[in-house]
Amino acid sequence: MEANTRQMLEGKPYTPDTEELYRYSREGHRLSQDYNKTYDTETKQRQAILDQLIPNHGKNIYLQGPIQFDYGRFTTIGDNFYANFNFTVLDTCPVTIGNNVMIGPNVSLLTALHPLVAEQRILRQQPNGRLGDYEYGAAITIGDNCWLAGNVTVLPGVTIGAGSVIGAGTIVTKSVPENSLVVGNPGRVIRTITEKDRLTNFPY
């Protein structure tokens, strides 16, 4: 792995305009599109694509599609994972998802960041002669047994504690303790999920 790619994964300034990152991103985009062209019933084809796109995944994962990954190879998914329509992952820094996680429709996990000062965002000539910019990012971690409802956006550097529920439309801007119910824009913890939330007349 090249030094520039290691810097990216460590959250340090990097340029996306290297041959290695071009190769990784083209592959991630192609595999995402290949997956989106399959039907739900084409389980073998879908599994083969996911094995290439997200090699670090556990057992029994299901992505409804369409999906879009920046790289895929920098995302880790645990066992018993479900993602509904339009799951987007910008994994310029590592994205780590635990076991038994449910993802609603139109959820985005975004690790990428750009400088706030305009001068630091402008294109400049890179060592390889191309025009490009410098970027950075911060990793995202989602603990076991979490549920992210529809239209949730998780921003760079966020850790969502195990057992938490993120309400529909929430933008998660900062880390969340375990067993938290989070809603709003920006997301805020409104209370802790406890045994009192257990549904009655439920099969288990």
Side-chain angles (χ1 to χ4, degrees), residues 114-133:
H114 299 273
L116 295 179
V117 177
E119 182 184 359
Q120 294 183 311
R121 291 196 303 271
I122 62 174
L123 297 177
R124 51 181 50 83
Q125 192 168 29
Q126 303 295 328
N128 59 15
R130 293 195 182 103
L131 280 179
D133 64 341

Side-chain angles (χ1 to χ4, degrees), residues 150-163:
N151 295 294
V152 165
T153 300
V154 181
L155 296 186
V158 164
T159 293
I160 298 176

Side-chain angles (χ1 to χ4, degrees), residues 75-105:
T75 295
T76 300
I77 298 177
D79 296 337
N80 307 319
F81 173 79
Y82 173 82
N84 212 314
F85 300 104
N86 297 319
F87 183 45
T88 298
V89 181
L90 301 189
D91 53 348
T92 55
C93 280
V95 172
T96 304
I97 301 172
N99 299 320
N100 307 308
V101 171
M102 298 173 60
I103 300 289

Side-chain angles (χ1 to χ4, degrees), residues 5-24:
T5 303
R6 289 196 299 271
Q7 287 179 211
M8 178 186 79
L9 294 172
E10 293 169 0
K12 299 175 182 177
Y14 78 99
T15 174
D17 303 300
T18 63
E19 285 300 327
E20 181 173 64
L21 288 180
Y22 269 137
R23 186 171 70 253
Y24 288 166

Side-chain angles (χ1 to χ4, degrees), residues 35-52:
Y35 191 87
N36 296 339
K37 293 174 183 176
T38 63
Y39 295 106
D40 296 6
T41 52
E42 296 177 307
T43 54
K44 290 184 178 179
Q45 294 94 318
R46 283 187 156 204
Q47 187 62 54
I49 294 169
L50 288 180
D51 289 345
Q52 296 177 70

